[in-house]
Amino acid sequence: MERINNMVGFENSLIKLPKIADPRGCLSVVEARRHIPFDIKRVYYLYNMPASAKRGAHGHRTLEQCIIPMAGSFEISLDNGFAKKSFHLKDPAEGLYIPPMVWRELVDFSSGAVCLVIASDFYNENDYFRNYDGFLEAVGR
Ligand code: TYD
């Protein structure tokens, strides 16, 4: 199954989140196993990035994540060893789902960008691929 997932691209990676708009502004919501396909164990966020910052550049063995641009915009590229796709995230009502075994890189942060990451598990350095060649080997490339 994992191998089959790795053979496909990222056509269904963007998740439209509910957006409740009224004259007071907008409200969006993420519920575990309703809007995203995993239970939520951790939330972290990136902010104060210089425009030249490159973040990510790693993969995860088991972690699932959903990335939401809370403010501003940035580019995120996904690579499962077989297919690559880049996304320009700028809509706080849209999340990018990242399954396990995907290399991701985040660049081109706008001024004031805030990147929210919702994750399926606690922080565990042993879950990371920090080396791209090691990641490619693990996915069978
Ligand atoms: P890093 O993985 O380099 O961030 P990114 O991939 O978003 O660019 O993490 C930066 C540091 O923060 C690193 O020392 C690990 C630490 N960290 C935690 O302690 N807890 C966490 O949940 C995360 C995501 C990172």
Side-chain angles (χ1 to χ4, degrees):
M1 183 62 183
E2 183 175 281
R3 187 56 184 263
I4 292 168
N5 279 341
N6 282 345
M7 297 301 288
V8 302
F10 301 100
E11 292 77 16
N12 302 312
S13 300
L14 286 173
I15 299 174
K16 272 272 178 225
L17 299 169
K19 180 177 178 179
I20 302 150
D22 69 29
R24 300 169 300 160
C26 298
L27 183 157
S28 286
V29 57
V30 181
E31 291 186 11
R33 297 214 174 266
R34 180 169 293 172
H35 307 118
I36 56 173
F38 57 85
D39 288 322
I40 298 166
K41 276 201 179 168
R42 177 169 52 117
V43 170
Y44 66 94
Y45 37 97
L46 307 173
Y47 52 101
N48 283 351
M49 284 77 70
S52 61
K54 294 189 194 313
R55 306 236 29 153
H58 64 249
H60 284 283
R61 290 178 165 79
T62 64
L63 193 72
E64 295 174 81
Q65 294 179 312
C66 179
I67 297 196
I68 303 173
M70 290 286 101
S73 65
F74 48 88
E75 292 286 328
I76 175 163
S77 59
L78 303 184
D79 172 0
N80 60 19
F82 299 86
K84 293 182 187 186
K85 191 168 168 67
S86 285
F87 298 86
H88 182 69
L89 295 190
K90 62 173 188 308
D91 181 358
E94 196 163 58
L96 182 69
Y97 170 71
I98 309 181
M101 304 303 281
V102 171
W103 189 268
R104 86 291 314 273
E105 297 182 2
L106 291 82
V107 295
D108 286 343
F109 294 96
S110 70
S111 168
V114 179
C115 170
L116 179 75
V117 184
I118 298 171
S120 63
D121 211 343
F122 302 123
Y123 173 72
N124 174 11
E125 188 59 36
N126 294 328
D127 191 65
Y128 280 74
F129 292 99
R130 295 283 188 187
N131 176 276
Y132 185 64
D133 289 340
F135 165 76
L136 287 182
E137 199 176 325
V139 296
R141 277 309 236 190

PDB file of all heavy atoms in Angstrom, residues 42-44 46 54-58 65 104 106 117 122-125 128 130, ligand 1:
ATOM      1  N   ARG A  42      -0.002  17.111  17.674  1.00  0.00           N
ATOM      2  CA  ARG A  42       0.933  18.238  17.830  1.00  0.00           C
ATOM      3  C   ARG A  42       0.602  19.319  16.818  1.00  0.00           C
ATOM      4  O   ARG A  42       0.170  19.024  15.707  1.00  0.00           O
ATOM      5  CB  ARG A  42       2.370  17.730  17.606  1.00  0.00           C
ATOM      6  CG  ARG A  42       3.456  18.799  17.655  1.00  0.00           C
ATOM      7  CD  ARG A  42       4.831  18.130  17.689  1.00  0.00           C
ATOM      8  NE  ARG A  42       4.974  17.175  16.615  1.00  0.00           N
ATOM      9  CZ  ARG A  42       5.871  17.262  15.617  1.00  0.00           C
ATOM     10  NH1 ARG A  42       6.743  18.241  15.604  1.00  0.00           N
ATOM     11  NH2 ARG A  42       5.921  16.354  14.667  1.00  0.00           N
ATOM     12  N   VAL A  43       0.804  20.543  17.265  1.00  0.00           N
ATOM     13  CA  VAL A  43       0.674  21.707  16.378  1.00  0.00           C
ATOM     14  C   VAL A  43       1.911  22.561  16.585  1.00  0.00           C
ATOM     15  O   VAL A  43       2.319  22.801  17.725  1.00  0.00           O
ATOM     16  CB  VAL A  43      -0.590  22.520  16.745  1.00  0.00           C
ATOM     17  CG1 VAL A  43      -0.605  23.847  16.013  1.00  0.00           C
ATOM     18  CG2 VAL A  43      -1.856  21.725  16.438  1.00  0.00           C
ATOM     19  N   TYR A  44       2.552  22.964  15.493  1.00  0.00           N
ATOM     20  CA  TYR A  44       3.629  23.947  15.621  1.00  0.00           C
ATOM     21  C   TYR A  44       3.522  24.936  14.479  1.00  0.00           C
ATOM     22  O   TYR A  44       2.737  24.733  13.538  1.00  0.00           O
ATOM     23  CB  TYR A  44       5.010  23.281  15.686  1.00  0.00           C
ATOM     24  CG  TYR A  44       5.481  22.552  14.456  1.00  0.00           C
ATOM     25  CD1 TYR A  44       6.269  23.183  13.503  1.00  0.00           C
ATOM     26  CD2 TYR A  44       5.177  21.206  14.259  1.00  0.00           C
ATOM     27  CE1 TYR A  44       6.744  22.504  12.382  1.00  0.00           C
ATOM     28  CE2 TYR A  44       5.640  20.528  13.141  1.00  0.00           C
ATOM     29  CZ  TYR A  44       6.417  21.175  12.213  1.00  0.00           C
ATOM     30  OH  TYR A  44       6.865  20.500  11.100  1.00  0.00           O
ATOM     31  N   LEU A  46       5.613  28.165  12.084  1.00  0.00           N
ATOM     32  CA  LEU A  46       6.831  28.854  11.661  1.00  0.00           C
ATOM     33  C   LEU A  46       6.476  30.311  11.422  1.00  0.00           C
ATOM     34  O   LEU A  46       5.455  30.608  10.790  1.00  0.00           O
ATOM     35  CB  LEU A  46       7.352  28.241  10.355  1.00  0.00           C
ATOM     36  CG  LEU A  46       7.546  26.713  10.353  1.00  0.00           C
ATOM     37  CD1 LEU A  46       7.896  26.238   8.931  1.00  0.00           C
ATOM     38  CD2 LEU A  46       8.636  26.314  11.326  1.00  0.00           C
ATOM     39  N   LYS A  54      14.993  28.824   3.830  1.00  0.00           N
ATOM     40  CA  LYS A  54      14.591  27.517   3.295  1.00  0.00           C
ATOM     41  C   LYS A  54      14.322  26.632   4.497  1.00  0.00           C
ATOM     42  O   LYS A  54      15.212  26.420   5.325  1.00  0.00           O
ATOM     43  CB  LYS A  54      15.705  26.922   2.435  1.00  0.00           C
ATOM     44  CG  LYS A  54      15.990  27.706   1.173  1.00  0.00           C
ATOM     45  CD  LYS A  54      16.946  26.940   0.258  1.00  0.00           C
ATOM     46  CE  LYS A  54      17.517  27.810  -0.844  1.00  0.00           C
ATOM     47  NZ  LYS A  54      16.548  28.620  -1.558  1.00  0.00           N
ATOM     48  N   ARG A  55      13.107  26.136   4.591  1.00  0.00           N
ATOM     49  CA  ARG A  55      12.737  25.296   5.727  1.00  0.00           C
ATOM     50  C   ARG A  55      12.364  23.914   5.210  1.00  0.00           C
ATOM     51  O   ARG A  55      12.233  23.680   4.027  1.00  0.00           O
ATOM     52  CB  ARG A  55      11.570  25.924   6.500  1.00  0.00           C
ATOM     53  CG  ARG A  55      11.836  27.342   6.917  1.00  0.00           C
ATOM     54  CD  ARG A  55      11.729  27.648   8.365  1.00  0.00           C
ATOM     55  NE  ARG A  55      12.012  26.624   9.318  1.00  0.00           N
ATOM     56  CZ  ARG A  55      12.447  26.881  10.549  1.00  0.00           C
ATOM     57  NH1 ARG A  55      12.677  28.118  10.925  1.00  0.00           N
ATOM     58  NH2 ARG A  55      12.667  25.909  11.383  1.00  0.00           N
ATOM     59  N   GLY A  56      12.155  23.033   6.155  1.00  0.00           N
ATOM     60  CA  GLY A  56      11.844  21.664   5.767  1.00  0.00           C
ATOM     61  C   GLY A  56      13.104  20.988   5.286  1.00  0.00           C
ATOM     62  O   GLY A  56      14.075  20.897   6.034  1.00  0.00           O
ATOM     63  N   ALA A  57      13.107  20.523   4.035  1.00  0.00           N
ATOM     64  CA  ALA A  57      14.219  19.731   3.493  1.00  0.00           C
ATOM     65  C   ALA A  57      14.411  18.478   4.341  1.00  0.00           C
ATOM     66  O   ALA A  57      15.485  18.205   4.867  1.00  0.00           O
ATOM     67  CB  ALA A  57      15.492  20.559   3.388  1.00  0.00           C
ATOM     68  N   HIS A  58      13.324  17.789   4.504  1.00  0.00           N
ATOM     69  CA  HIS A  58      13.357  16.507   5.201  1.00  0.00           C
ATOM     70  C   HIS A  58      12.117  15.694   4.820  1.00  0.00           C
ATOM     71  O   HIS A  58      11.173  16.219   4.211  1.00  0.00           O
ATOM     72  CB  HIS A  58      13.447  16.698   6.723  1.00  0.00           C
ATOM     73  CG  HIS A  58      12.262  17.368   7.335  1.00  0.00           C
ATOM     74  ND1 HIS A  58      12.309  18.639   7.865  1.00  0.00           N
ATOM     75  CD2 HIS A  58      10.995  16.949   7.497  1.00  0.00           C
ATOM     76  CE1 HIS A  58      11.116  18.960   8.325  1.00  0.00           C
ATOM     77  NE2 HIS A  58      10.299  17.966   8.114  1.00  0.00           N
ATOM     78  N   GLN A  65       1.077  15.137   8.138  1.00  0.00           N
ATOM     79  CA  GLN A  65       0.977  16.553   8.477  1.00  0.00           C
ATOM     80  C   GLN A  65      -0.017  17.255   7.572  1.00  0.00           C
ATOM     81  O   GLN A  65      -0.274  16.828   6.446  1.00  0.00           O
ATOM     82  CB  GLN A  65       2.339  17.239   8.313  1.00  0.00           C
ATOM     83  CG  GLN A  65       3.386  16.750   9.302  1.00  0.00           C
ATOM     84  CD  GLN A  65       4.719  17.431   9.092  1.00  0.00           C
ATOM     85  OE1 GLN A  65       5.192  17.520   7.958  1.00  0.00           O
ATOM     86  NE2 GLN A  65       5.326  17.885  10.162  1.00  0.00           N
ATOM     87  N   ARG A 104       9.841  17.308   1.665  1.00  0.00           N
ATOM     88  CA  ARG A 104       9.220  18.617   1.475  1.00  0.00           C
ATOM     89  C   ARG A 104      10.220  19.737   1.717  1.00  0.00           C
ATOM     90  O   ARG A 104      11.104  19.629   2.581  1.00  0.00           O
ATOM     91  CB  ARG A 104       7.972  18.784   2.344  1.00  0.00           C
ATOM     92  CG  ARG A 104       8.138  19.281   3.785  1.00  0.00           C
ATOM     93  CD  ARG A 104       8.812  18.331   4.734  1.00  0.00           C
ATOM     94  NE  ARG A 104       8.317  16.966   4.655  1.00  0.00           N
ATOM     95  CZ  ARG A 104       7.275  16.522   5.337  1.00  0.00           C
ATOM     96  NH1 ARG A 104       6.685  17.303   6.207  1.00  0.00           N
ATOM     97  NH2 ARG A 104       6.896  15.253   5.238  1.00  0.00           N
ATOM     98  N   LEU A 106      10.221  24.171   1.915  1.00  0.00           N
ATOM     99  CA  LEU A 106       9.414  25.400   1.973  1.00  0.00           C
ATOM    100  C   LEU A 106      10.329  26.589   1.702  1.00  0.00           C
ATOM    101  O   LEU A 106      11.380  26.718   2.350  1.00  0.00           O
ATOM    102  CB  LEU A 106       8.760  25.574   3.344  1.00  0.00           C
ATOM    103  CG  LEU A 106       7.640  24.589   3.730  1.00  0.00           C
ATOM    104  CD1 LEU A 106       8.214  23.295   4.249  1.00  0.00           C
ATOM    105  CD2 LEU A 106       6.735  25.206   4.788  1.00  0.00           C
ATOM    106  N   VAL A 117       1.539  24.022  11.172  1.00  0.00           N
ATOM    107  CA  VAL A 117       1.705  22.598  10.854  1.00  0.00           C
ATOM    108  C   VAL A 117       0.943  21.776  11.894  1.00  0.00           C
ATOM    109  O   VAL A 117       1.199  21.880  13.092  1.00  0.00           O
ATOM    110  CB  VAL A 117       3.193  22.188  10.848  1.00  0.00           C
ATOM    111  CG1 VAL A 117       3.334  20.728  10.415  1.00  0.00           C
ATOM    112  CG2 VAL A 117       4.004  23.101   9.943  1.00  0.00           C
ATOM    113  N   PHE A 122       3.871  13.221  18.112  1.00  0.00           N
ATOM    114  CA  PHE A 122       4.796  14.096  18.824  1.00  0.00           C
ATOM    115  C   PHE A 122       6.114  14.190  18.065  1.00  0.00           C
ATOM    116  O   PHE A 122       6.395  13.370  17.187  1.00  0.00           O
ATOM    117  CB  PHE A 122       5.047  13.572  20.244  1.00  0.00           C
ATOM    118  CG  PHE A 122       3.790  13.444  21.061  1.00  0.00           C
ATOM    119  CD1 PHE A 122       3.438  12.228  21.618  1.00  0.00           C
ATOM    120  CD2 PHE A 122       2.956  14.538  21.261  1.00  0.00           C
ATOM    121  CE1 PHE A 122       2.267  12.105  22.367  1.00  0.00           C
ATOM    122  CE2 PHE A 122       1.791  14.422  22.009  1.00  0.00           C
ATOM    123  CZ  PHE A 122       1.454  13.196  22.558  1.00  0.00           C
ATOM    124  N   TYR A 123       6.894  15.180  18.413  1.00  0.00           N
ATOM    125  CA  TYR A 123       8.206  15.340  17.789  1.00  0.00           C
ATOM    126  C   TYR A 123       9.090  14.144  18.112  1.00  0.00           C
ATOM    127  O   TYR A 123       9.222  13.746  19.266  1.00  0.00           O
ATOM    128  CB  TYR A 123       8.861  16.627  18.285  1.00  0.00           C
ATOM    129  CG  TYR A 123      10.280  16.789  17.817  1.00  0.00           C
ATOM    130  CD1 TYR A 123      10.547  17.091  16.488  1.00  0.00           C
ATOM    131  CD2 TYR A 123      11.346  16.622  18.686  1.00  0.00           C
ATOM    132  CE1 TYR A 123      11.846  17.228  16.037  1.00  0.00           C
ATOM    133  CE2 TYR A 123      12.646  16.769  18.256  1.00  0.00           C
ATOM    134  CZ  TYR A 123      12.893  17.064  16.931  1.00  0.00           C
ATOM    135  OH  TYR A 123      14.171  17.200  16.484  1.00  0.00           O
ATOM    136  N   ASN A 124       9.688  13.569  17.062  1.00  0.00           N
ATOM    137  CA  ASN A 124      10.579  12.428  17.249  1.00  0.00           C
ATOM    138  C   ASN A 124      11.639  12.474  16.155  1.00  0.00           C
ATOM    139  O   ASN A 124      11.344  12.178  14.986  1.00  0.00           O
ATOM    140  CB  ASN A 124       9.773  11.127  17.175  1.00  0.00           C
ATOM    141  CG  ASN A 124      10.667   9.901  17.205  1.00  0.00           C
ATOM    142  OD1 ASN A 124      11.871  10.008  17.481  1.00  0.00           O
ATOM    143  ND2 ASN A 124      10.103   8.742  16.918  1.00  0.00           N
ATOM    144  N   GLU A 125      12.841  12.842  16.518  1.00  0.00           N
ATOM    145  CA  GLU A 125      13.907  12.999  15.512  1.00  0.00           C
ATOM    146  C   GLU A 125      14.156  11.694  14.750  1.00  0.00           C
ATOM    147  O   GLU A 125      14.563  11.717  13.590  1.00  0.00           O
ATOM    148  CB  GLU A 125      15.179  13.503  16.206  1.00  0.00           C
ATOM    149  CG  GLU A 125      16.314  13.885  15.262  1.00  0.00           C
ATOM    150  CD  GLU A 125      15.976  14.984  14.244  1.00  0.00           C
ATOM    151  OE1 GLU A 125      15.215  15.922  14.593  1.00  0.00           O
ATOM    152  OE2 GLU A 125      16.463  14.896  13.100  1.00  0.00           O
ATOM    153  N   TYR A 128      12.622  11.231  11.234  1.00  0.00           N
ATOM    154  CA  TYR A 128      13.047  12.093  10.130  1.00  0.00           C
ATOM    155  C   TYR A 128      14.004  11.390   9.172  1.00  0.00           C
ATOM    156  O   TYR A 128      14.860  10.614   9.587  1.00  0.00           O
ATOM    157  CB  TYR A 128      13.807  13.311  10.667  1.00  0.00           C
ATOM    158  CG  TYR A 128      12.942  14.433  11.217  1.00  0.00           C
ATOM    159  CD1 TYR A 128      12.297  14.307  12.435  1.00  0.00           C
ATOM    160  CD2 TYR A 128      12.806  15.629  10.527  1.00  0.00           C
ATOM    161  CE1 TYR A 128      11.530  15.345  12.945  1.00  0.00           C
ATOM    162  CE2 TYR A 128      12.041  16.665  11.026  1.00  0.00           C
ATOM    163  CZ  TYR A 128      11.406  16.521  12.241  1.00  0.00           C
ATOM    164  OH  TYR A 128      10.657  17.540  12.740  1.00  0.00           O
ATOM    165  N   ARG A 130      16.777  13.148   7.155  1.00  0.00           N
ATOM    166  CA  ARG A 130      17.423  14.456   6.989  1.00  0.00           C
ATOM    167  C   ARG A 130      18.311  14.475   5.749  1.00  0.00           C
ATOM    168  O   ARG A 130      18.780  15.527   5.343  1.00  0.00           O
ATOM    169  CB  ARG A 130      18.263  14.793   8.225  1.00  0.00           C
ATOM    170  CG  ARG A 130      17.471  14.978   9.516  1.00  0.00           C
ATOM    171  CD  ARG A 130      16.792  16.309   9.567  1.00  0.00           C
ATOM    172  NE  ARG A 130      16.178  16.584  10.880  1.00  0.00           N
ATOM    173  CZ  ARG A 130      15.417  17.626  11.108  1.00  0.00           C
ATOM    174  NH1 ARG A 130      15.170  18.500  10.148  1.00  0.00           N
ATOM    175  NH2 ARG A 130      14.874  17.805  12.297  1.00  0.00           N
TER     176      ARG A 130
HETATM  177  P1  TYD B   1      13.558  21.783  11.761  1.00  0.00           P
HETATM  178  O1  TYD B   1      13.152  20.357  11.545  1.00  0.00           O
HETATM  179  O2  TYD B   1      14.875  22.217  11.221  1.00  0.00           O
HETATM  180  O3  TYD B   1      12.419  22.760  11.204  1.00  0.00           O
HETATM  181  P2  TYD B   1      11.827  22.846   9.711  1.00  0.00           P
HETATM  182  O4  TYD B   1      11.877  21.472   9.146  1.00  0.00           O
HETATM  183  O5  TYD B   1      10.447  23.352   9.892  1.00  0.00           O
HETATM  184  O6  TYD B   1      12.639  23.788   8.928  1.00  0.00           O
HETATM  185  O7  TYD B   1      13.475  22.074  13.315  1.00  0.00           O
HETATM  186  C1  TYD B   1      14.137  23.158  13.906  1.00  0.00           C
HETATM  187  C2  TYD B   1      14.464  22.780  15.337  1.00  0.00           C
HETATM  188  O8  TYD B   1      13.268  22.669  16.105  1.00  0.00           O
HETATM  189  C3  TYD B   1      15.184  21.453  15.443  1.00  0.00           C
HETATM  190  O9  TYD B   1      16.231  21.618  16.421  1.00  0.00           O
HETATM  191  C4  TYD B   1      14.153  20.506  15.976  1.00  0.00           C
HETATM  192  C5  TYD B   1      13.243  21.415  16.763  1.00  0.00           C
HETATM  193  N1  TYD B   1      11.848  20.967  16.816  1.00  0.00           N
HETATM  194  C6  TYD B   1      11.284  20.594  18.030  1.00  0.00           C
HETATM  195  O10 TYD B   1      11.950  20.635  19.085  1.00  0.00           O
HETATM  196  N2  TYD B   1       9.986  20.218  18.067  1.00  0.00           N
HETATM  197  C7  TYD B   1       9.211  20.158  16.957  1.00  0.00           C
HETATM  198  O11 TYD B   1       8.009  19.793  17.024  1.00  0.00           O
HETATM  199  C8  TYD B   1       9.799  20.521  15.701  1.00  0.00           C
HETATM  200  C9  TYD B   1       8.999  20.476  14.437  1.00  0.00           C
HETATM  201  C10 TYD B   1      11.121  20.910  15.679  1.00  0.00           C
END
